[in-house]
PDB file of all heavy atoms in Angstrom:
ATOM      1  N   MET A 337       0.816  -1.210   0.000  1.00 95.00           N
ATOM      2  CA  MET A 337       0.000   0.000   0.000  1.00 95.00           C
ATOM      3  C   MET A 337       0.849   1.258   0.000  1.00 95.00           C
ATOM      4  O   MET A 337       1.914   1.294   0.616  1.00 95.00           O
ATOM      5  CB  MET A 337      -0.874   0.048   1.260  1.00 95.00           C
ATOM      6  CG  MET A 337      -1.869  -1.058   1.376  1.00 95.00           C
ATOM      7  SD  MET A 337      -2.822  -0.933   2.913  1.00 95.00           S
ATOM      8  CE  MET A 337      -1.630  -1.531   4.095  1.00 95.00           C
ATOM      9  N   ILE A 338       0.334   2.269  -0.662  1.00 94.00           N
ATOM     10  CA  ILE A 338       0.829   3.630  -0.535  1.00 94.00           C
ATOM     11  C   ILE A 338      -0.196   4.337   0.347  1.00 94.00           C
ATOM     12  O   ILE A 338      -1.396   4.266   0.076  1.00 94.00           O
ATOM     13  CB  ILE A 338       0.939   4.329  -1.908  1.00 94.00           C
ATOM     14  CG1 ILE A 338       1.831   3.534  -2.866  1.00 94.00           C
ATOM     15  CG2 ILE A 338       1.429   5.771  -1.738  1.00 94.00           C
ATOM     16  CD1 ILE A 338       3.267   3.367  -2.426  1.00 94.00           C
ATOM     17  N   LEU A 339       0.271   4.976   1.411  1.00 95.00           N
ATOM     18  CA  LEU A 339      -0.627   5.580   2.394  1.00 95.00           C
ATOM     19  C   LEU A 339      -0.394   7.077   2.524  1.00 95.00           C
ATOM     20  O   LEU A 339       0.722   7.559   2.299  1.00 95.00           O
ATOM     21  CB  LEU A 339      -0.417   4.924   3.765  1.00 95.00           C
ATOM     22  CG  LEU A 339      -0.632   3.413   3.839  1.00 95.00           C
ATOM     23  CD1 LEU A 339      -0.263   2.900   5.220  1.00 95.00           C
ATOM     24  CD2 LEU A 339      -2.056   3.048   3.474  1.00 95.00           C
ATOM     25  N   SER A 340      -1.424   7.775   2.955  1.00 93.00           N
ATOM     26  CA  SER A 340      -1.301   9.217   3.187  1.00 93.00           C
ATOM     27  C   SER A 340      -0.343   9.519   4.333  1.00 93.00           C
ATOM     28  O   SER A 340       0.288  10.569   4.350  1.00 93.00           O
ATOM     29  CB  SER A 340      -2.676   9.829   3.464  1.00 93.00           C
ATOM     30  OG  SER A 340      -3.252   9.256   4.623  1.00 93.00           O
ATOM     31  N   ASP A 341      -0.227   8.613   5.297  1.00 96.00           N
ATOM     32  CA  ASP A 341       0.706   8.760   6.414  1.00 96.00           C
ATOM     33  C   ASP A 341       1.273   7.380   6.718  1.00 96.00           C
ATOM     34  O   ASP A 341       0.699   6.612   7.489  1.00 96.00           O
ATOM     35  CB  ASP A 341      -0.016   9.345   7.635  1.00 96.00           C
ATOM     36  CG  ASP A 341       0.920   9.684   8.774  1.00 96.00           C
ATOM     37  OD1 ASP A 341       2.001   9.050   8.887  1.00 96.00           O
ATOM     38  OD2 ASP A 341       0.570  10.568   9.571  1.00 96.00           O
ATOM     39  N   LEU A 342       2.400   7.076   6.084  1.00 96.00           N
ATOM     40  CA  LEU A 342       2.991   5.742   6.166  1.00 96.00           C
ATOM     41  C   LEU A 342       3.363   5.367   7.594  1.00 96.00           C
ATOM     42  O   LEU A 342       3.075   4.263   8.049  1.00 96.00           O
ATOM     43  CB  LEU A 342       4.215   5.658   5.262  1.00 96.00           C
ATOM     44  CG  LEU A 342       4.765   4.250   5.090  1.00 96.00           C
ATOM     45  CD1 LEU A 342       3.973   3.518   4.036  1.00 96.00           C
ATOM     46  CD2 LEU A 342       6.229   4.300   4.715  1.00 96.00           C
ATOM     47  N   ASP A 343       4.009   6.270   8.329  1.00 97.00           N
ATOM     48  CA  ASP A 343       4.439   5.951   9.691  1.00 97.00           C
ATOM     49  C   ASP A 343       3.255   5.680  10.609  1.00 97.00           C
ATOM     50  O   ASP A 343       3.263   4.707  11.372  1.00 97.00           O
ATOM     51  CB  ASP A 343       5.301   7.078  10.254  1.00 97.00           C
ATOM     52  CG  ASP A 343       6.640   7.194   9.547  1.00 97.00           C
ATOM     53  OD1 ASP A 343       7.155   6.157   9.079  1.00 97.00           O
ATOM     54  OD2 ASP A 343       7.163   8.310   9.451  1.00 97.00           O
ATOM     55  N   LYS A 344       2.238   6.510  10.529  1.00 98.00           N
ATOM     56  CA  LYS A 344       1.045   6.311  11.360  1.00 98.00           C
ATOM     57  C   LYS A 344       0.364   4.993  10.988  1.00 98.00           C
ATOM     58  O   LYS A 344      -0.036   4.223  11.862  1.00 98.00           O
ATOM     59  CB  LYS A 344       0.088   7.482  11.186  1.00 98.00           C
ATOM     60  CG  LYS A 344      -1.141   7.410  12.067  1.00 98.00           C
ATOM     61  CD  LYS A 344      -2.005   8.650  11.875  1.00 98.00           C
ATOM     62  CE  LYS A 344      -3.235   8.629  12.752  1.00 98.00           C
ATOM     63  NZ  LYS A 344      -4.074   9.831  12.511  1.00 98.00           N
ATOM     64  N   GLY A 345       0.240   4.724   9.688  1.00 97.00           N
ATOM     65  CA  GLY A 345      -0.371   3.477   9.242  1.00 97.00           C
ATOM     66  C   GLY A 345       0.383   2.266   9.739  1.00 97.00           C
ATOM     67  O   GLY A 345      -0.213   1.290  10.205  1.00 97.00           O
ATOM     68  N   CYS A 346       1.685   2.318   9.669  1.00 97.00           N
ATOM     69  CA  CYS A 346       2.513   1.209  10.143  1.00 97.00           C
ATOM     70  C   CYS A 346       2.339   1.013  11.648  1.00 97.00           C
ATOM     71  O   CYS A 346       2.162  -0.118  12.118  1.00 97.00           O
ATOM     72  CB  CYS A 346       3.974   1.459   9.792  1.00 97.00           C
ATOM     73  SG  CYS A 346       5.065   0.073  10.167  1.00 97.00           S
ATOM     74  N   ASP A 347       2.363   2.087  12.399  1.00 97.00           N
ATOM     75  CA  ASP A 347       2.189   1.992  13.857  1.00 97.00           C
ATOM     76  C   ASP A 347       0.844   1.380  14.218  1.00 97.00           C
ATOM     77  O   ASP A 347       0.763   0.484  15.061  1.00 97.00           O
ATOM     78  CB  ASP A 347       2.310   3.372  14.508  1.00 97.00           C
ATOM     79  CG  ASP A 347       3.729   3.919  14.479  1.00 97.00           C
ATOM     80  OD1 ASP A 347       4.669   3.134  14.237  1.00 97.00           O
ATOM     81  OD2 ASP A 347       3.886   5.139  14.684  1.00 97.00           O
ATOM     82  N   VAL A 348      -0.208   1.851  13.565  1.00 97.00           N
ATOM     83  CA  VAL A 348      -1.556   1.348  13.838  1.00 97.00           C
ATOM     84  C   VAL A 348      -1.656  -0.143  13.528  1.00 97.00           C
ATOM     85  O   VAL A 348      -2.211  -0.925  14.306  1.00 97.00           O
ATOM     86  CB  VAL A 348      -2.599   2.152  13.012  1.00 97.00           C
ATOM     87  CG1 VAL A 348      -3.940   1.452  12.950  1.00 97.00           C
ATOM     88  CG2 VAL A 348      -2.753   3.548  13.578  1.00 97.00           C
ATOM     89  N   LEU A 349      -1.116  -0.543  12.392  1.00 97.00           N
ATOM     90  CA  LEU A 349      -1.219  -1.942  11.993  1.00 97.00           C
ATOM     91  C   LEU A 349      -0.338  -2.853  12.844  1.00 97.00           C
ATOM     92  O   LEU A 349      -0.731  -3.980  13.161  1.00 97.00           O
ATOM     93  CB  LEU A 349      -0.906  -2.085  10.504  1.00 97.00           C
ATOM     94  CG  LEU A 349      -1.954  -1.437   9.595  1.00 97.00           C
ATOM     95  CD1 LEU A 349      -1.474  -1.398   8.152  1.00 97.00           C
ATOM     96  CD2 LEU A 349      -3.295  -2.150   9.710  1.00 97.00           C
ATOM     97  N   LYS A 350       0.825  -2.374  13.258  1.00 97.00           N
ATOM     98  CA  LYS A 350       1.657  -3.167  14.172  1.00 97.00           C
ATOM     99  C   LYS A 350       0.944  -3.383  15.503  1.00 97.00           C
ATOM    100  O   LYS A 350       0.959  -4.484  16.054  1.00 97.00           O
ATOM    101  CB  LYS A 350       3.007  -2.492  14.401  1.00 97.00           C
ATOM    102  CG  LYS A 350       3.988  -2.696  13.279  1.00 97.00           C
ATOM    103  CD  LYS A 350       5.330  -2.052  13.590  1.00 97.00           C
ATOM    104  CE  LYS A 350       6.310  -2.309  12.469  1.00 97.00           C
ATOM    105  NZ  LYS A 350       7.617  -1.672  12.715  1.00 97.00           N
ATOM    106  N   LYS A 351       0.306  -2.334  16.018  1.00 97.00           N
ATOM    107  CA  LYS A 351      -0.448  -2.456  17.280  1.00 97.00           C
ATOM    108  C   LYS A 351      -1.607  -3.436  17.143  1.00 97.00           C
ATOM    109  O   LYS A 351      -2.010  -4.060  18.114  1.00 97.00           O
ATOM    110  CB  LYS A 351      -0.950  -1.094  17.732  1.00 97.00           C
ATOM    111  CG  LYS A 351       0.148  -0.211  18.278  1.00 97.00           C
ATOM    112  CD  LYS A 351      -0.360   1.167  18.661  1.00 97.00           C
ATOM    113  CE  LYS A 351       0.813   2.035  19.094  1.00 97.00           C
ATOM    114  NZ  LYS A 351       0.433   3.439  19.267  1.00 97.00           N
ATOM    115  N   ALA A 352      -2.130  -3.565  15.918  1.00 96.00           N
ATOM    116  CA  ALA A 352      -3.220  -4.511  15.663  1.00 96.00           C
ATOM    117  C   ALA A 352      -2.698  -5.931  15.404  1.00 96.00           C
ATOM    118  O   ALA A 352      -3.484  -6.847  15.159  1.00 96.00           O
ATOM    119  CB  ALA A 352      -4.057  -4.039  14.478  1.00 96.00           C
ATOM    120  N   GLY A 353      -1.373  -6.105  15.463  1.00 95.00           N
ATOM    121  CA  GLY A 353      -0.796  -7.441  15.347  1.00 95.00           C
ATOM    122  C   GLY A 353      -0.296  -7.831  13.968  1.00 95.00           C
ATOM    123  O   GLY A 353       0.059  -8.988  13.748  1.00 95.00           O
ATOM    124  N   TYR A 354      -0.225  -6.893  13.046  1.00 94.00           N
ATOM    125  CA  TYR A 354       0.238  -7.215  11.694  1.00 94.00           C
ATOM    126  C   TYR A 354       1.746  -7.015  11.572  1.00 94.00           C
ATOM    127  O   TYR A 354       2.320  -6.132  12.203  1.00 94.00           O
ATOM    128  CB  TYR A 354      -0.465  -6.328  10.663  1.00 94.00           C
ATOM    129  CG  TYR A 354      -1.939  -6.602  10.569  1.00 94.00           C
ATOM    130  CD1 TYR A 354      -2.861  -5.782  11.207  1.00 94.00           C
ATOM    131  CD2 TYR A 354      -2.423  -7.691   9.848  1.00 94.00           C
ATOM    132  CE1 TYR A 354      -4.219  -6.027  11.131  1.00 94.00           C
ATOM    133  CE2 TYR A 354      -3.781  -7.950   9.768  1.00 94.00           C
ATOM    134  CZ  TYR A 354      -4.674  -7.115  10.417  1.00 94.00           C
ATOM    135  OH  TYR A 354      -6.019  -7.368  10.341  1.00 94.00           O
ATOM    136  N   LEU A 355       2.360  -7.830  10.750  1.00 93.00           N
ATOM    137  CA  LEU A 355       3.780  -7.704  10.436  1.00 93.00           C
ATOM    138  C   LEU A 355       3.911  -6.728   9.275  1.00 93.00           C
ATOM    139  O   LEU A 355       3.383  -6.978   8.184  1.00 93.00           O
ATOM    140  CB  LEU A 355       4.362  -9.068  10.053  1.00 93.00           C
ATOM    141  CG  LEU A 355       5.810  -9.105   9.595  1.00 93.00           C
ATOM    142  CD1 LEU A 355       6.738  -8.606  10.703  1.00 93.00           C
ATOM    143  CD2 LEU A 355       6.191 -10.509   9.176  1.00 93.00           C
ATOM    144  N   CYS A 356       4.577  -5.598   9.512  1.00 94.00           N
ATOM    145  CA  CYS A 356       4.684  -4.516   8.515  1.00 94.00           C
ATOM    146  C   CYS A 356       6.142  -4.300   8.124  1.00 94.00           C
ATOM    147  O   CYS A 356       7.038  -4.448   8.948  1.00 94.00           O
ATOM    148  CB  CYS A 356       4.174  -3.196   9.092  1.00 94.00           C
ATOM    149  SG  CYS A 356       2.503  -3.249   9.703  1.00 94.00           S
ATOM    150  N   LYS A 357       6.315  -3.903   6.893  1.00 95.00           N
ATOM    151  CA  LYS A 357       7.654  -3.555   6.412  1.00 95.00           C
ATOM    152  C   LYS A 357       7.536  -2.346   5.489  1.00 95.00           C
ATOM    153  O   LYS A 357       6.706  -2.326   4.580  1.00 95.00           O
ATOM    154  CB  LYS A 357       8.253  -4.736   5.642  1.00 95.00           C
ATOM    155  CG  LYS A 357       9.618  -4.445   5.069  1.00 95.00           C
ATOM    156  CD  LYS A 357      10.107  -5.605   4.240  1.00 95.00           C
ATOM    157  CE  LYS A 357      11.374  -5.224   3.511  1.00 95.00           C
ATOM    158  NZ  LYS A 357      11.760  -6.211   2.515  1.00 95.00           N
ATOM    159  N   LYS A 358       8.374  -1.343   5.714  1.00 96.00           N
ATOM    160  CA  LYS A 358       8.450  -0.183   4.829  1.00 96.00           C
ATOM    161  C   LYS A 358       9.526  -0.456   3.793  1.00 96.00           C
ATOM    162  O   LYS A 358      10.579  -1.006   4.113  1.00 96.00           O
ATOM    163  CB  LYS A 358       8.826   1.075   5.601  1.00 96.00           C
ATOM    164  CG  LYS A 358       7.827   1.474   6.666  1.00 96.00           C
ATOM    165  CD  LYS A 358       8.350   2.673   7.441  1.00 96.00           C
ATOM    166  CE  LYS A 358       7.539   2.911   8.684  1.00 96.00           C
ATOM    167  NZ  LYS A 358       8.094   4.001   9.498  1.00 96.00           N
ATOM    168  N   SER A 359       9.261  -0.049   2.547  1.00 94.00           N
ATOM    169  CA  SER A 359      10.266  -0.227   1.509  1.00 94.00           C
ATOM    170  C   SER A 359      10.131   0.862   0.452  1.00 94.00           C
ATOM    171  O   SER A 359       9.092   1.499   0.324  1.00 94.00           O
ATOM    172  CB  SER A 359      10.148  -1.612   0.862  1.00 94.00           C
ATOM    173  OG  SER A 359       8.861  -1.797   0.314  1.00 94.00           O
ATOM    174  N   LYS A 360      11.204   1.048  -0.289  1.00 95.00           N
ATOM    175  CA  LYS A 360      11.248   2.053  -1.352  1.00 95.00           C
ATOM    176  C   LYS A 360      10.649   1.480  -2.638  1.00 95.00           C
ATOM    177  O   LYS A 360      10.899   0.325  -2.992  1.00 95.00           O
ATOM    178  CB  LYS A 360      12.679   2.485  -1.638  1.00 95.00           C
ATOM    179  CG  LYS A 360      13.350   3.186  -0.486  1.00 95.00           C
ATOM    180  CD  LYS A 360      12.854   4.597  -0.398  1.00 95.00           C
ATOM    181  CE  LYS A 360      13.604   5.346   0.693  1.00 95.00           C
ATOM    182  NZ  LYS A 360      12.940   6.561   1.072  1.00 95.00           N
ATOM    183  N   VAL A 361       9.874   2.300  -3.303  1.00 96.00           N
ATOM    184  CA  VAL A 361       9.346   1.997  -4.625  1.00 96.00           C
ATOM    185  C   VAL A 361       9.430   3.275  -5.451  1.00 96.00           C
ATOM    186  O   VAL A 361       9.669   4.351  -4.910  1.00 96.00           O
ATOM    187  CB  VAL A 361       7.881   1.487  -4.570  1.00 96.00           C
ATOM    188  CG1 VAL A 361       7.800   0.109  -3.949  1.00 96.00           C
ATOM    189  CG2 VAL A 361       6.974   2.460  -3.843  1.00 96.00           C
ATOM    190  N   LEU A 362       9.227   3.148  -6.729  1.00 95.00           N
ATOM    191  CA  LEU A 362       9.128   4.322  -7.595  1.00 95.00           C
ATOM    192  C   LEU A 362       7.666   4.544  -7.948  1.00 95.00           C
ATOM    193  O   LEU A 362       6.962   3.602  -8.296  1.00 95.00           O
ATOM    194  CB  LEU A 362       9.912   4.124  -8.889  1.00 95.00           C
ATOM    195  CG  LEU A 362      11.427   4.080  -8.790  1.00 95.00           C
ATOM    196  CD1 LEU A 362      12.030   3.845 -10.173  1.00 95.00           C
ATOM    197  CD2 LEU A 362      11.970   5.358  -8.193  1.00 95.00           C
ATOM    198  N   GLY A 363       7.244   5.769  -7.858  1.00 95.00           N
ATOM    199  CA  GLY A 363       5.934   6.154  -8.361  1.00 95.00           C
ATOM    200  C   GLY A 363       6.161   6.948  -9.635  1.00 95.00           C
ATOM    201  O   GLY A 363       6.904   7.932  -9.635  1.00 95.00           O
TER     202      GLY A 363
END
């Protein structure tokens, strides 16, 4: 996913128990 707020999205999903990874892509 591309998100409006990547850090907040990652934090929320980690707290919900999901395994998250940030990575570089080209748009």
Side-chain angles (χ1 to χ4, degrees):
M337 297 179 284
I338 303 298
L339 302 175
S340 61
D341 187 333
L342 190 82
D343 292 329
K344 183 177 181 182
C346 186
D347 290 344
V348 164
L349 293 170
K350 281 182 178 179
K351 287 177 185 171
Y354 294 100
L355 176 61
C356 304
K357 178 184 172 190
K358 298 176 192 176
S359 58
K360 296 283 184 196
V361 290
L362 291 179

